[in-house]
Amino acid sequence: MANEYWLYSEAEVRREQVLAQLADLFDAEHTDFGLGRGESLAVTAWPVDSAERIEVARDAGVAEPKVGVLFRLRSVDTIETADRETREILDTVLALLRAYPADAVLQFDTKTVLRRADGQVVLNSDWPGWAEIPTLAAIVAGYRPVPWTDRPGHWSSDRDRRSPPVTATAGPRRRRRRTGRDRPDRGCPATRRPAGGGPQSGTRAADRP
């Protein structure tokens, strides 16, 4: 199954503008889906313009969603390649947040990866990828990983908001919690229903292009 990163933003920007910028950043080609690069990466964007899509984005922690972007990292040959392309996706997301500054949330499946709020980007330290993917160390060093509560888009405390950056350290990689980096792409995304209800991984019905 493909790894999917979902970005929801309050930026007033058209789908075509987002795809045009992403095409340059990824050196990708336009496709019927949106953008594609080889067999490994596909990207699409859409306006958040229906009640169902708005509900999905608000569940992710974006109060007034305007645009959504899906980054789909499909099966790759090695973990090293997956790590490199994951870094590229996150660098691209950060570039979009600089180009279109607005409140936004990036999720992997339904787990928050990072959030832009109050004019700053903060990483969710509870997302295991920050500690387990070595190519992300430079991003971790430049931002503030902060724990999340179980309510999307909320910091766990004011103390956590003031936490200093957590930098990655060298050493043996511990046994990874499941982040989906090395799940095979079987050609069609799965749909799972979480225990508490709501959207889960795979292509969400509300956002399927």
Side-chain angles (χ1 to χ4, degrees), residues 123-140:
L123 314 183
N124 177 17
S125 62
D126 294 334
W127 183 59
W130 295 123
E132 296 170 358
I133 303 177
T135 55
L136 304 185
I139 296 177
V140 173

Side-chain angles (χ1 to χ4, degrees), residues 11-67:
E12 297 278 0
V13 59
R14 294 183 296 108
R15 172 182 185 270
E16 292 76 16
Q17 290 176 271
V18 172
L19 290 177
Q21 180 156 1
L22 290 174
D24 290 338
L25 291 170
F26 280 122
D27 191 22
E29 297 180 352
H30 288 271
T31 67
D32 292 339
F33 181 78
L35 297 172
R37 189 181 65 189
E39 296 296 323
S40 64
L41 181 67
V43 183
T44 193
W46 62 91
V48 180
D49 56 2
S50 69
E52 191 174 4
R53 287 178 171 178
I54 290 171
E55 181 181 1
V56 169
R58 285 179 175 170
D59 284 346
V62 179
E64 299 296 333
K66 300 295 191 302
V67 65

